[in-house]
Amino acid sequence: MRKILIAAFLFIFLTPALAQASVVYVAQIKGEITPYTYDQFDRYISEAERANANAIIILLDTPGGRADAMQNIIERIKSAEVPVITYVYPPGGMAASAGTYIALGSHLIAMAPGTSIGACRPILGYSQNGSIIEAPPKVVNFYVSYIKSLAKASGRNETMVEKFITEDLAIDPEEALNSGVIEVIANDVNDLLEKAHGMKTKVPVRGEYVALDLKDAEIRYLEPSLKDRVIPYLTDPAVAYVLLTLGIWALVLGFLSPGWHVPETVGAIMIVLAIIGLGYFGYRSAGLLLIVLAVIFFIAEALTPTFGLFTVAGFITFVLGSIMLFGGGGEVDYLVSREVYSQIRLIIITIGALLALFFAFGMAAVIRARRRKAQTGKEEMIGLIGEVVEPLSPEGMIRARGELWRARSKDGKSIGIGEKVRIVGMEGLKLIVVREKEKYPEEESRMR
């Protein structure tokens, strides 16, 4: 009886302590869908996977973006080891165009009141007058097939999602729920956890459909890093275009006003930021691009000393590039953890400063030395002081640099033994000299 009581006691008091608490991660994705957005998704999902979380909720608010980045994000969601819930939030937000595809690729879709989803017709861009360049039928047909396959794989309404493209339709949460496009309408994250608890995922997680265990879950918010906060501004098409235009103007101004170097330096940085903002790079590629620009600035400083302008520009772009390459202080960074990054940050700044100093002083000195004319042989003799060892009347012998040279007095006057003379010219191997005390307006430095 005593053993039974002890076992019951241990079961009652130790079982709750041994049970693993439910954990749900929440992260926000806002703005254009670009390769940087994929980096964010990958980082956030990886953090939830490492913590073996019950789910990760992505607060999504996007007007759309690049198709290649969107497809990569969907593939990352499919390979996730934890359920990914796309929550269109806050009220007034949207999951339009590429955002709709991402939502349909998720394990569960929720929307906040006042949001919208849809409007997925693909476009090729904008013409010079600002009008939309429509995608050709074969492109449209491909994306119709793609969005229907996403809906079919998750058991959602294929007919409705097809209209998102063919009719460029966008719908509100109520219509999306009633038509079977989404699963939950929730006012906030807590409301979402309560309503989604017990639901099965619409897409398999690790090969099987999972019942969501979200009751009384601990919510852990993943805060965006500094670069995650800055990139949405750069990736705004209007901002990127303005940076590109101003950068070109600055380069032209710099070429028209040589010697100043400020316009071309600022212009080069603007153009690189515009290229990054147009979304052709992920964080790592953008970081490498900035580091390459930094090296160009350092070399430019060595070749064309600017009293530190190129050095400062190189240092700033090197540090920014390194931060984008290694991460930026978020809950989890792309290549390294917060703890490692806090240590590597000092190394980045130190190496940047050392590179700047090396190119500003060391390399510049080497290049100046290489550019300096060689002062050897006959040219080196001009200006040296020698001593007469055989009277110059007007020709004789002098000793210069410990060597005996045939010499001639420039003015034809005699110069006695022991007198000091200065070499002012040469005729073949014969030196032209004057008395050291005599002053001439110019020296005969041209060799005859």
Side-chain angles (χ1 to χ4, degrees):
M1 185 65 180
R2 182 178 180 183
K3 292 182 179 181
I4 295 175
L5 291 175
I6 293 175
F9 175 83
L10 293 175
F11 178 81
I12 293 172
F13 290 97
L14 295 183
T15 298
L18 295 174
Q20 183 179 2
S22 298
V23 176
V24 173
Y25 279 79
V26 179
Q28 184 179 48
I29 300 291
K30 188 174 183 178
E32 295 280 333
I33 301 298
T34 69
Y36 309 107
T37 313
Y38 168 78
D39 289 339
Q40 286 181 269
F41 264 93
D42 183 42
R43 189 164 68 250
Y44 294 149
I45 293 174
S46 296
E47 172 66 4
E49 290 173 335
R50 279 190 286 270
N52 196 26
N54 293 60
I56 178 169
I57 299 173
I58 301 294
L59 308 180
L60 185 64
D61 180 12
T62 176
R66 293 177 60 90
D68 53 352
M70 171 264 292
Q71 291 172 331
N72 290 335
I73 290 169
I74 292 173
E75 290 303 315
R76 181 64 183 93
I77 292 174
K78 287 181 179 179
S79 66
E81 297 182 0
V82 298
V84 179
I85 301 173
T86 296
Y87 181 26
V88 186
Y89 184 88
M94 68 181 79
S97 194
T100 303
Y101 293 87
I102 293 171
L104 290 171
S106 303
H107 299 97
L108 205 73
I109 306 175
M111 295 179 68
T115 58
S116 63
I117 189 171
C120 299
R121 187 172 183 84
I123 63 172
L124 298 183
Y126 298 88
S127 62
Q128 293 181 348
N129 61 10
S131 61
I132 294 175
I133 302 176
E134 297 287 349
K138 65 178 182 180
V139 174
V140 174
N141 292 337
F142 167 78
Y143 283 106
V144 167
S145 174
Y146 185 59
I147 200 170
K148 288 177 67 178
S149 69
L150 291 174
K152 183 177 181 179
S154 58
R156 297 183 176 111
N157 191 327
E158 296 179 50
T159 303
M160 179 63 75
V161 300
E162 182 178 359
K163 292 181 181 179
F164 289 163
I165 296 179
T166 57
E167 300 178 13
D168 218 7
L169 177 68
I171 57 179
D172 59 26
E174 288 75 18
E175 188 174 359
L177 181 64
N178 293 333
S179 61
V181 173
I182 69 171
E183 288 71 57
V184 179
I185 298 177
N187 295 318
D188 52 33
V189 172
N190 289 322
D191 189 29
L192 171 58
L193 294 179
E194 182 179 345
K195 291 180 177 179
H197 175 67
M199 285 187 173
K200 279 197 172 183
T201 57
K202 305 292 286 186
V203 178
V205 181
R206 290 177 289 190
E208 60 181 356
Y209 295 91
V210 178
L212 296 172
D213 180 13
L214 307 177
K215 187 176 182 180
D216 300 325
E218 176 191 352
I219 301 175
R220 297 179 185 175
Y221 285 89
L222 296 174
E223 296 297 330
S225 63
L226 176 61
K227 64 177 182 290
D228 293 335
R229 299 177 189 274
V230 173
I231 282 296
Y233 295 101
L234 290 180
T235 53
D236 185 305
V239 174
Y241 180 74
V242 169
L243 284 174
L244 181 63
T245 305
L246 292 179
I248 293 174
W249 285 354
L251 281 181
V252 173
L253 178 61
F255 292 144
L256 294 178
S257 55
W260 191 16
H261 301 303
V262 173
E264 54 262 47
T265 303
V266 175
I269 295 175
M270 283 184 170
I271 290 176
V272 170
L273 291 177
I275 293 173
I276 293 173
L278 290 172
Y280 293 103
F281 302 95
Y283 280 122
R284 289 182 295 178
S285 300
L288 288 173
L289 181 63
L290 287 171
I291 290 175
V292 169
L293 179 63
V295 172
I296 293 174
F297 280 138
F298 289 146
I299 294 175
E301 179 67 47
L303 296 174
T304 311
T306 57
F307 304 101
L309 173 62
F310 286 154
T311 301
V312 172
F315 174 74
I316 292 173
T317 51
F318 179 85
V319 171
L320 289 177
S322 299
I323 289 174
M324 295 190 73
L325 188 65
F326 287 103
E331 193 68 27
V332 168
D333 296 305
Y334 189 71
L335 293 179
V336 296
S337 65
R338 175 191 287 269
E339 291 74 15
V340 175
Y341 181 75
S342 63
Q343 300 172 8
I344 205 172
R345 182 168 46 192
L346 180 60
I347 297 176
I348 290 172
I349 296 175
T350 302
I351 291 178
L354 291 175
L355 281 173
L357 292 173
F358 171 73
F359 279 97
F361 299 103
M363 185 60 71
V366 170
I367 292 176
R368 284 194 297 268
R370 287 182 176 273
R371 286 180 170 180
R372 191 179 299 120
K373 287 186 176 181
Q375 298 295 322
T376 59
K378 297 178 181 180
E379 292 183 358
E380 190 179 9
M381 300 298 294
I382 306 301
L384 293 181
I385 304 300
E387 181 181 349
V388 178
V389 296
E390 179 184 311
L392 305 183
S393 55
E395 292 187 9
M397 299 289 291
I398 69 170
R399 186 187 302 277
R401 293 195 316 180
E403 302 172 340
L404 293 178
W405 290 82
R406 193 72 182 169
R408 177 176 66 82
S409 172
K410 178 179 173 65
D411 53 12
K413 296 179 180 179
S414 297
I415 304 176
I417 296 175
E419 291 193 60
K420 300 294 184 181
V421 293
R422 181 160 50 92
I423 302 169
V424 296
M426 301 186 71
E427 290 179 347
L429 296 177
K430 184 188 297 181
L431 303 179
I432 309 300
V433 300
V434 298
R435 282 187 173 86
E436 211 285 324
K437 62 181 180 179
E438 296 180 8
K439 304 297 182 184
Y440 283 80
E442 61 182 31
E443 298 177 351
E444 184 183 352
S445 58
R446 179 174 60 87
M447 292 182 290
R448 301 174 183 175

